[in-house]
Amino acid sequence: MTPSTSQCTDTMTLGVMYLNCRGQTGFTKTKQLIIESEAINKKLDVIHLQEVKIDDKSFESCDFLKNQFQIFANNSENGCYGTCSLVHTKHQTENVKIIPGSRIICLDVNGATLLNVYMPSGSAGMADREDL
C-alpha cells in the first residue's frame, strides 16, 4: 500500500495591503484614486491605511471602493490623523475593535485576525511608544 498525501484546500488567501498615506500632505483625491486602482489591479481584499483622516467625502470619487468595501475608520479625537481599514464586502468581517486613540483597528476577516497598527514615531516620547 502506498502512502497518500493530501493538501487542505479549504484555505483562502487574502490579498492585504498596508499603506502609510503621509497625513501631513493630506488624503487627497489623487491618493484615494491610486488606492482604488491598486485594489482593482491587485485584487485586494483588505487595505490598511495609516496617517489618514476619513470623513463623509473620503472615497467619494472611488465608486469601486465605496460600493465593494466596508470602511472602518479610527480618526483621532484631537484632529490628527488616524487609521482606516477597508474590507471587501465578499468577506465575513467580525469582532471589529476600534481602539480609542486612532492608532489601532483589530478585526476578524474569514476567521483570520488582522491588525492595523500605526505606531508612534521615533520622535514621540519613549513612554508614548511603550504605552501603545
Side-chain angles (χ1 to χ4, degrees):
M1 189 172 196
T2 19
S4 65
T5 58
S6 64
Q7 288 185 307
C8 179
T9 57
D10 292 339
T11 61
M12 175 182 284
T13 301
L14 290 173
V16 179
M17 177 175 83
Y18 286 83
L19 181 65
N20 184 307
C21 296
R22 294 196 53 198
Q24 68 268 26
T25 60
F27 194 46
T28 64
K29 179 179 172 181
T30 301
K31 285 183 185 179
Q32 294 172 43
L33 290 169
I34 290 169
I35 292 166
E36 180 174 62
S37 176
E38 290 296 303
I40 294 167
N41 294 331
K42 292 186 169 51
K43 297 179 174 61
L44 295 173
D45 300 298
V46 179
I47 303 167
H48 293 301
L49 306 173
Q50 294 91 32
E51 284 196 63
V52 293
K53 188 171 186 179
I54 303 300
D55 58 29
D56 294 340
K57 293 184 181 188
S58 298
F59 305 111
E60 70 180 1
S61 299
C62 304
D63 290 335
F64 179 75
L65 292 178
K66 281 192 319 188
N67 296 319
Q68 299 293 319
F69 283 78
Q70 300 171 79
I71 300 172
F72 302 97
N74 191 359
N75 290 320
S76 174
E77 296 169 5
N78 67 5
C80 292
Y81 298 97
T83 53
C84 176
S85 294
L86 294 87
V87 181
H88 200 289
T89 56
K90 68 183 176 185
H91 298 293
Q92 181 178 349
T93 304
E94 300 177 305
N95 302 320
V96 177
K97 294 180 181 87
I98 296 176
I99 311 299
S102 75
R103 293 192 174 267
I104 302 173
I105 299 174
C106 178
L107 41 80
D108 293 341
V109 178
N110 295 345
T113 301
L114 302 175
L115 288 169
N116 181 1
V117 179
Y118 173 45
M119 300 299 291
S121 72
S123 62
M126 179 73 80
D128 289 340
R129 291 193 311 269
E130 289 182 353
D131 285 345
L132 187 66

